[in-house]
Amino acid sequence: MTVFRSLKWIAAVVLAALVLAAVVIGTVGWNWLRGPIERMVLDKTGRELVIGGDLELRFGWPHPRLHASSVTFANPGWAREKQMVTADAVDITIDLAQLLQLKIVFPEVRLARGTIFLEQGSEARKNWLLDVNQQDEAARILISRLAIDHGTLGYDDAGQKTRIRAELSTLDSSTGPQPDADGLSFTAHGQYKGMPLKAHGKGGPILALRDESTPYPLQIELAVGRTFVKANGTITSLVKFTAMDMHLALRGDSLAQLFPLLGIAFPETRAYVTEGQIVHGGTTWRYEKFSGRIGGSDIAGTFQVDSGGKRTAIEADLVSRQLDLADLGPLIGSRPGSLEAAREAAPEPSSNVTPTPATARVLPSKPFKTGQWDSIDAEVTLKAGSIRADDLPLEDLVTHLSLRDSVLTLDPLDFGVAGGHLSGVISLDGRKDSIQAQAKIKARKILIAKLFPKVELSKTSIGQINGEFDLTGNGNSVGRMLATSNGKVGLVIKRGEISQLMMEKAGLHLWEILGLKMTGDRLVKVRCGVADFDVRDGKMIADALIFDTEVTTLIGSGSIDLGQETLDLKLLQKTKNTSPLALRSPIYIRGSFARPDIGIDKGPVAARVFGAIALAMVNPLLVLIPLIDPGPGEDSDCRQLIRDAQALPRQQQKQRSGVIPAR
């Protein structure tokens, strides 16, 4: 009985207290709590909270609602703006279950004509962290949903060169029925990571900041620098981007400019435009069924990014109906118009002077940006039907790009060329300061006539080119890799025919040229065509350089300097038939890649001409003797020609060193 009496007394006291509190609150209201709340906030944060109007508390479990009028909350002294929050009225829903665990969680906050300024300062200080120094990540209020009726949102981060101001307003349906009458519209402007920013759009009435259960409808048009974005769909949690399903359109000057926005290291490209569906869940972003253009190339397929591993992982399956080879130029460091600029800057060539280093470069010289290679792994497949490549007849490209641990590999690299086929593997190891490069390429059954369709003499030429390239080098640009390369380059022509007029011109057989001009050109068989180069430190040295036909044999020697971008080749002619009128003389191919020069050694030509003049003074009938090319009198063996061509550079080297006399 004593226990029951005690419980009755306790219940009576509690009930009396509740009745007294209800009477006081009913008489005075909740405004008496303003002072204690303001003092507690100042003590905990060091920042002033002012509730200038009435304070009301509406009970409800588990989310009571607090209403306050004329509210301001100050920024710390280091912030640009004086106040972090100002509002004519604030409605806050409190999660009591979280509060009992000493966690402050507001499921919903509503501001009437409110302004919020968020700022990140030096030393990792953030004004939304509520400890005295604004550095404790746990000292924050978690807000799931935020509604602002005609207000301003601002964000500043001087370290990231970012300053954004957004104006929000509730859509007004008073002028007529609108499907989005309960939503809001917004405009934004400012600077993002040093780039100008502008945006406008519409969204749902309540910003789903951390609400991971309700997708938030959003329409937005955004311009950051020269990148333009248009999106329409839903986002779950505007802070975490837990999920996304949006129709997305992008355009810009280069995909590389997306790195500040997405944190993905895309390569430099020409201007692009693309449109598709972007879907996000967990750590995976997927751009599905997109289509668009990069430069003059169309592109379509699927692109996926997964940020859940050690490095960002990219997978893509891309298809192009027509690929413009010029659009791939930036990928290998080639600048648009570089060849034309090099030709204009190159001096006039001279065949009688030893080639000097090129002043205007043709080979791509722009460095690869390997600093971001270790941030991603990639597996990308690209297929292209038709390839636009100036005068090069390319088609049916199939390649797979793999980037793993800063090693980029193209395997396979496979496409059709001039009725034939080119395949190979290219590897770029970016783990060191200087890229270690390796390329193994095979050319098979490439048709001469299709390879040079605009060269008049090749139109009547048929035959196949086969070859192999096996090179290694180092450097951070294609030009530098070739300038340091070592390996072999070999080309072989078989089963061919070629213009006789072309070969007679190469042999300077004036009589035959005149005859063919009168009777018309004809085809002669190509018996042997070989170009074999040994590459050492970027210099291609001719081991065998032969072109043997029914009427003339050309045997060459010399070198091609990939580092200096110069040519120094010499071709000797051997006719197989006696020509009554010829100016046989070595042919030189010299000059720079930008402006090569093909000419003859004028010394032997002049000697023959002057010899003919001298004999004519003795006997006019003897004038043709110096101009007659007797020829070897028989057809040549191709294998022997190759041995002779391989011996020629060694013989010339001995002549220059004085071992044997020159003949």
Side-chain angles (χ1 to χ4, degrees):
M1 294 295 293
T2 303
V3 174
F4 286 111
R5 290 194 190 98
S6 299
L7 290 175
K8 287 181 180 180
W9 276 104
I10 293 172
V13 170
V14 171
L15 181 60
L18 292 175
V19 171
L20 180 61
V23 172
V24 172
I25 292 170
T27 304
V28 181
W30 291 97
N31 288 333
W32 60 275
L33 281 176
R34 290 183 303 186
I37 291 175
E38 291 172 349
R39 288 190 294 273
M40 180 182 67
V41 171
L42 181 63
D43 180 60
K44 295 293 184 182
T45 67
R47 295 149 68 179
E48 187 177 30
L49 171 68
V50 176
I51 304 174
D54 291 336
L55 184 67
E56 299 178 8
L57 181 63
R58 300 172 185 173
F59 287 103
W61 182 264
H63 297 149
R65 183 179 293 273
L66 181 68
H67 174 84
S69 302
S70 300
V71 177
T72 63
F73 179 54
N75 258 322
W78 54 265
R80 291 183 178 182
E81 302 288 345
K82 183 177 179 180
Q83 304 293 338
M84 177 180 169
V85 179
T86 62
D88 289 354
V90 178
D91 281 282
I92 300 174
T93 301
I94 304 170
D95 190 329
L96 289 180
Q98 294 290 333
L99 189 62
L100 293 175
Q101 301 178 35
L102 304 180
K103 296 179 182 179
I104 302 177
V105 177
F106 295 162
E108 186 174 306
V109 174
R110 291 178 176 268
L111 303 180
R113 299 192 180 278
T115 298
I116 301 176
F117 288 116
L118 305 177
E119 184 170 353
Q120 184 163 329
S122 60
E123 300 176 359
R125 294 183 298 185
K126 302 170 184 175
N127 74 332
W128 59 87
L129 300 180
L130 301 181
D131 62 302
V132 176
N133 296 317
Q134 300 87 48
Q135 292 178 323
D136 183 2
E137 291 290 337
R140 65 171 70 203
I141 295 174
L142 300 181
I143 300 174
S144 296
R145 295 181 294 170
L146 173 66
I148 301 179
D149 181 10
H150 296 86
T152 300
L153 282 176
Y155 177 74
D156 291 339
D157 186 345
Q160 293 291 324
K161 298 180 181 180
T162 297
R163 181 179 175 84
I164 302 172
R165 296 292 181 267
E167 302 294 330
L168 296 87
S169 60
T170 301
L171 293 171
D172 187 3
S173 60
S174 61
T175 58
Q178 299 181 30
D180 300 318
D182 294 332
L184 59 82
S185 65
F186 61 88
T187 61
H189 66 278
Q191 188 180 52
Y192 180 75
K193 294 187 177 180
M195 298 178 292
L197 176 145
K198 286 186 178 181
H200 68 273
K202 296 185 294 184
I206 299 178
L207 300 176
L209 299 181
R210 295 181 180 273
D211 186 349
E212 299 186 11
S213 60
T214 306
Y216 178 74
L218 178 64
Q219 299 178 37
I220 184 172
E221 293 187 24
L222 171 70
V224 181
R226 296 289 300 166
T227 300
F228 302 89
V229 182
K230 186 176 182 180
N232 184 8
T234 61
I235 298 176
T236 303
S237 178
L238 293 174
V239 173
K240 297 182 179 180
F241 280 5
T242 306
M244 178 184 292
D245 190 353
M246 304 191 79
H247 187 79
L248 179 69
L250 283 170
R251 62 184 175 92
D253 292 341
S254 172
L255 288 174
Q257 295 176 3
L258 291 175
F259 182 76
L261 299 177
L262 304 179
I264 301 173
F266 290 105
E268 291 284 351
T269 67
R270 300 171 80 181
Y272 69 93
V273 58
T274 177
E275 186 172 353
Q277 194 75 14
I278 187 165
V279 179
H280 168 55
T283 61
T284 301
W285 296 77
R286 188 173 178 86
Y287 194 29
E288 296 180 340
K289 301 176 182 178
F290 74 86
S291 61
R293 301 192 69 83
I294 299 177
S297 306
D298 67 271
I299 193 76
T302 299
F303 187 92
Q304 178 176 299
V305 178
D306 189 345
S307 59
K310 179 182 177 182
R311 285 186 288 268
T312 299
I314 295 177
E315 293 184 13
D317 191 357
L318 309 177
V319 178
S320 176
R321 293 188 302 272
Q322 185 173 65
L323 180 66
D324 192 336
L325 199 62
D327 297 326
L328 300 180
L331 302 182
I332 60 173
S334 177
R335 295 175 174 85
S338 59
L339 179 57
E340 291 77 7
R343 286 172 177 168
E344 293 178 2
E348 289 294 334
S350 174
S351 296
N352 298 321
V353 180
T354 301
T356 57
T359 56
R361 300 290 177 172
V362 172
L363 296 177
S365 58
K366 190 175 181 181
F368 289 97
K369 296 180 180 180
T370 60
Q372 299 169 353
W373 284 15
D374 62 351
S375 66
I376 60 174
D377 289 334
E379 300 292 336
V380 179
T381 298
L382 172 62
K383 297 179 180 179
S386 174
I387 303 175
R388 186 188 300 118
D390 293 329
D391 297 334
L392 288 176
L394 306 178
E395 60 186 1
D396 298 331
L397 169 67
V398 176
T399 187
H400 181 85
L401 181 150
S402 177
L403 179 60
R404 296 282 177 181
D405 299 325
S406 296
V407 179
L408 188 150
T409 305
L410 291 173
D411 183 12
L413 176 61
D414 194 312
F415 52 90
V417 182
H421 189 251
L422 197 98
S423 63
V425 177
I426 296 176
S427 175
L428 304 178
D429 189 339
R431 289 174 293 185
K432 297 181 180 179
D433 293 338
S434 182
I435 297 175
Q436 307 298 306
Q438 184 174 21
K440 293 184 177 181
I441 308 293
K442 292 183 178 180
R444 294 292 182 266
K445 299 181 179 179
I446 297 175
L447 301 178
I448 298 175
K450 289 188 176 181
L451 187 62
F452 305 107
K454 293 187 178 181
V455 178
E456 183 178 354
L457 293 175
S458 70
K459 292 179 181 178
T460 57
S461 306
I462 58 176
Q464 295 179 353
I465 297 178
N466 295 277
E468 293 190 10
F469 306 80
D470 190 348
L471 298 174
T472 60
N474 61 84
N476 290 333
S477 69
V478 172
R480 189 58 192 162
M481 293 171 191
L482 291 173
T484 60
S485 60
N486 293 279
K488 295 287 291 183
V489 173
L491 294 172
V492 176
I493 298 176
K494 66 177 183 178
R495 293 198 302 272
E497 293 182 334
I498 196 166
S499 161
Q500 181 180 355
L501 180 61
M502 178 179 180
M503 298 310 300
E504 300 294 2
K505 285 183 176 181
L508 300 178
H509 297 153
L510 305 183
W511 184 266
E512 285 75 7
I513 293 173
L514 180 60
L516 290 171
K517 286 288 188 179
M518 297 177 64
T519 62
D521 197 5
R522 69 183 186 90
L523 295 177
V524 294
K525 290 184 179 180
V526 176
R527 300 188 62 255
C528 177
V530 175
D532 186 31
F533 290 90
D534 185 26
V535 185
R536 306 171 195 166
D537 296 325
K539 196 167 186 177
M540 298 175 60
I541 303 169
D543 279 347
L545 195 57
I546 308 154
F547 195 77
D548 181 39
T549 71
E550 289 181 282
V551 295
T552 300
T553 301
L554 299 178
I555 299 179
S557 62
S559 63
I560 301 173
D561 195 321
L562 299 174
Q564 305 296 340
E565 295 195 12
T566 57
L567 303 162
D568 188 9
L569 298 172
K570 177 181 179 181
L571 300 177
L572 299 177
Q573 315 100 315
K574 291 185 178 181
T575 185
K576 297 181 180 180
N577 301 299
T578 300
S579 176
L581 186 61
L583 296 175
R584 183 162 57 93
S585 176
I587 299 175
Y588 289 97
I589 304 175
R590 288 177 169 168
S592 65
F593 290 2
R595 198 183 285 270
D597 181 41
I598 302 176
I600 61 174
D601 190 338
K602 297 181 177 61
V605 174
R608 286 174 174 265
V609 173
F610 286 131
I613 294 173
L615 289 173
M617 293 179 181
V618 178
N619 185 342
L621 296 178
L622 301 178
V623 68
L624 294 179
I625 292 178
L627 303 181
I628 294 176
D629 188 346
E634 60 181 0
D635 208 354
S636 303
D637 178 73
C638 190
R639 294 180 181 177
Q640 182 60 44
L641 282 173
I642 295 175
R643 288 192 291 268
D644 292 344
Q646 291 174 335
L648 186 59
R650 293 190 289 270
Q651 183 180 7
Q652 291 177 339
Q653 185 176 3
K654 290 178 181 179
Q655 289 175 357
R656 287 192 293 267
S657 62
V659 176
I660 60 175
R663 287 185 278 177

